[in-house]
Amino acid sequence: MGMEEFVFVGQEWWGWIIAGYLFLGGLAGLTLPIAYYYWVREKNRAMSLAGGLASFIAIVVGILLLIIDLGRPQNVMAMFTSPKLNLHSWMTIGTYIIVLFTIFSGLYTLPFIPGLGLLRKREYRKYITAIGGIAAFLGLATAAYTGFLLAAARGVQFWNTPLLPVLFVASAISSGLCLYCAVVSPILLKTSPSFREAAVRIRLELQRLDAYVIIGELFILFAYLNISLWGSPGARESALRLISGDLAAAFWIGVVIAGLIVPLLILLGYTLRRKEESTPVIIMSAIAGWLTLIGALLLRYLILHAGVIPTPIT
Amino acid sequence: MPRYGFVINLSTCIGCGACVAACTEENTQVLKELSDEASVPLGGRRDIRVVEDGKFPSVLRISYHHTCMHCEDAPCVSVCPTGASYRTDEGTVLVDYELCIGCKYCITACPYNARYVNETLGGPDKCTMCYHRLKQGLLPACATSCPTDSIVFGDLDDPNSEVAKLAKHAIPVGASLGTKPKVYVIPP
Ligand code: SF4
Ligand code: SF4
């Protein structure tokens, strides 16, 4: 036997909880920069409040999921106090990024809370803009890190590619955009009169971008599967599980069709053509948004679950 | 400092599993010091797995030894956030439970699937080369229990040691994975 042979053992350690964490990290990470964009461009307070809050809640829930998944939570403080802290580990880098992101997204959102009166003073605005810039950057870093975390896990060859962070960021952008269309916008339409005037324009902007991102994500996803098929034995095995194996139904129907193609068709065929916020448009936008969000969660779960460790036997 | 490693002779291994039983018994005692209920499940730290390959009539039956390779470039160590997974001066890879948060990153990072979650401890567990025995000048439990002496342990850097002589003609397990494993096999 000159050639090495492998048996493939399914990765069973990271499941739904970590998938939820990766999903929420990406979602929170991209929701804030979108809010920030509308603050810088047109001082849209309603979006900063809603987006900032959503982002803050999402990242806090994400951190809780991460802690729930720990086998030895009694030692969690070792992430901050260990004398041997490993700054080269993506787990360490990521922990510090999300902690800082949580703080900055909270700080950014605070002044938008009505009644605090912090926005009344014009000179405060430049501080808000600065803090928001840092928060937006940390958000992007959070989304990217969720991919780098997996890419560095050498046991699971399917994850060992820089395309994975790219895929996760694309999916996170789409998730962030959809959170506005599915959740934020319907709430703001009811509660914020100033938002109502801008609602159509903002929705069209977000959905137009989303359509491009979904198309890009489809390309990245197929590139990822393709290089995996031609890559190392474990990557190939995992890709086959998604394409034609035990996970194919969930992957094609759940992720590709329901999570990407159907929302894209709804955007291109209906909501992007309507220049009003009527009930059917709101409902269709919400459907497209929720499908995207569920698809993004499922994508992460399936990428985790498809992971195999190719144990060498010779 | 010695550089400890194993040579496993698959041409004499009869797949009896005495090493697995000895490992479980020995190391359950060690884990008891961390927690009264802790134990090493059979096949947890080391395992003999039989794989059949090919189609009748040319079936290849390989019993391979599934264990930690104590890699010199150990991915489990490089991903561990808190430094809980570490290498000793002898190159033995161990887990410090005082620092381990149980994130399981090391398990997904190990290309040999050598780690498992010890349910009682909530953290990763794997072969330690019986580090506690090495400190007393003893061999790892598996090596002493093998009826056919198919597990040879020792200092790979000592040219007079049996393990170093055998390793010259043996194959490092999964060398293409690039982690510099310190377990070698003599093929069947
Ligand atoms: S075999 Fe796995 S657990 Fe053992 S040292 Fe190598 S990477 Fe670490
Ligand atoms: S489970 Fe423990 S030993 Fe493994 S990477 Fe996490 S902290 Fe380190």
Side-chain angles (χ1 to χ4, degrees):
Chain A
M1 301 169 257
M3 284 283 288
E4 277 176 359
E5 294 195 43
F6 300 93
V7 285
F8 299 101
V9 186
Q11 177 286 122
E12 56 185 275
W13 314 108
W14 286 347
W16 277 111
I17 297 178
I18 292 297
Y21 164 68
L22 300 176
F23 166 71
L24 288 172
L27 178 66
L30 263 298
T31 300
L32 195 129
I34 296 168
Y36 179 64
Y37 172 76
Y38 283 97
W39 165 253
V40 172
R41 205 180 77 177
E42 54 199 58
K43 297 288 171 285
N44 188 320
R45 300 175 187 191
M47 279 184 80
S48 273
L49 175 61
L53 266 184
S55 162
F56 183 76
I57 293 168
I59 197 64
V60 168
V61 174
I63 292 173
L64 289 179
L65 288 180
L66 183 62
I67 294 175
I68 288 172
D69 198 64
L70 292 181
R72 296 179 63 77
Q74 67 270 37
N75 285 348
V76 69
M77 284 320 285
M79 284 305 302
F80 304 97
T81 59
S82 169
K84 298 198 284 178
L85 195 70
N86 178 2
L87 294 175
H88 300 288
S89 164
W90 276 106
M91 192 68 81
T92 315
I93 300 168
T95 301
Y96 284 84
I97 291 175
I98 56 175
V99 167
L100 287 174
F101 175 58
T102 310
I103 295 170
F104 275 89
S105 67
L107 280 179
Y108 175 68
T109 312
L110 200 63
F112 295 101
I113 295 174
L116 292 184
L118 286 171
L119 283 174
R120 229 167 284 146
K121 286 216 173 86
R122 279 206 152 260
E123 60 263 36
Y124 282 168
R125 290 195 178 173
K126 64 174 184 290
Y127 297 116
I128 294 170
T129 305
I131 290 171
I134 298 171
F137 173 77
L138 289 167
L140 294 171
T142 300
Y145 132 78
T146 60
F148 284 113
L149 180 78
L150 296 193
R154 286 269 298 276
V156 183
Q157 292 171 338
F158 186 44
W159 303 343
N160 299 161
T161 160
L163 268 184
L164 194 63
V166 178
L167 176 65
F168 278 8
V169 169
S171 162
I173 297 174
S174 193
S175 305
L177 294 170
C178 284
L179 190 72
Y180 284 95
C181 303
V183 182
V184 172
S185 175
I187 296 176
L188 290 184
L189 279 172
K190 287 221 169 61
T191 54
S192 164
S194 63
F195 179 79
R196 221 166 286 150
E197 293 154 29
V200 180
R201 175 178 54 82
I202 289 176
R203 175 180 61 78
L204 288 173
E205 282 171 3
L206 296 178
Q207 291 186 333
R208 201 168 300 131
L209 177 60
D210 193 24
Y212 286 119
V213 175
I214 293 177
I215 293 168
E217 192 183 338
L218 279 164
F219 273 109
I220 298 164
L221 184 57
F222 287 112
Y224 175 46
L225 291 176
N226 199 47
I227 59 150
S228 301
L229 279 179
W230 299 101
S232 35
R236 182 180 156 78
E237 181 80 9
S238 298
L240 285 173
R241 285 183 73 188
L242 290 178
I243 295 168
S244 55
D246 57 329
L247 306 175
F251 176 70
W252 290 112
I253 299 171
V255 174
V256 178
I257 296 176
L260 292 165
I261 292 177
V262 172
L264 181 64
L265 292 178
I266 293 177
L267 298 188
L268 295 180
Y270 186 73
T271 59
L272 277 174
R273 294 160 184 243
R274 302 293 137 137
K275 312 265 180 280
E276 88 273 332
E277 292 305 274
S278 59
T279 309
V281 174
I282 295 175
I283 290 177
M284 290 309 275
S285 295
I287 292 175
W290 279 109
L291 283 173
T292 304
L293 291 171
I294 295 167
L297 173 63
L298 188 62
L299 171 74
R300 284 161 181 77
Y301 174 73
L302 288 178
I303 286 177
L304 288 179
H305 192 62
V308 295
I309 304 181
T311 316
I313 57 172
T314 49
Chain B
M1 267 296 156
R3 194 172 65 92
Y4 290 127
F6 291 93
V7 172
I8 294 166
N9 191 342
L10 292 180
S11 70
T12 55
C13 168
I14 53 173
C16 68
C19 53
V20 180
C23 169
T24 296
E25 191 179 316
E26 175 74 32
N27 289 298
T28 291
Q29 290 314 312
V30 177
L31 289 198
K32 287 255 181 300
E33 282 168 26
L34 291 167
S35 152
D36 286 343
E37 296 124 59
S39 65
V40 177
L42 206 60
R45 284 193 175 188
R46 109 181 300 287
D47 203 5
I48 306 284
R49 297 190 189 166
V50 179
V51 182
E52 285 183 4
D53 203 9
K55 283 204 172 68
F56 182 81
S58 60
V59 182
L60 188 62
R61 218 164 167 274
I62 317 164
S63 54
Y64 75 98
H65 289 230
H66 183 248
T67 181
C68 172
M69 304 288 140
H70 297 277
C71 309
E72 281 173 13
D73 288 337
C76 58
V77 173
S78 53
V79 301
C80 176
T82 61
S85 279
Y86 70 105
R87 285 164 56 84
T88 67
D89 293 340
E90 301 92 342
T92 310
V93 174
L94 298 176
V95 179
D96 177 353
Y97 278 100
E98 299 281 306
L99 291 177
C100 173
I101 60 171
C103 66
K104 303 179 274 278
Y105 203 6
C106 53
I107 306 184
T108 59
C110 168
Y112 291 89
N113 198 31
R115 296 179 170 228
Y116 73 98
V117 171
N118 189 296
E119 294 297 337
T120 319
L121 299 172
D125 185 37
K126 67 169 195 73
C127 161
T128 62
M129 286 184 176
C130 284
Y131 195 67
H132 60 292
R133 289 173 60 96
L134 299 187
K135 290 276 130 180
Q136 303 162 25
L138 300 170
L139 285 174
C142 55
T144 60
S145 69
C146 177
T148 58
D149 286 333
S150 299
I151 301 176
V152 181
F153 177 84
D155 180 3
L156 291 164
D157 281 347
D158 172 2
N160 297 319
S161 72
E162 195 190 351
V163 78
K165 287 179 194 155
L166 288 172
K168 270 197 208 124
H169 308 289
I171 305 165
V173 179
S176 72
L177 295 169
T179 64
K180 300 195 188 138
K182 291 204 301 270
V183 177
Y184 296 73
V185 289
I186 298 171

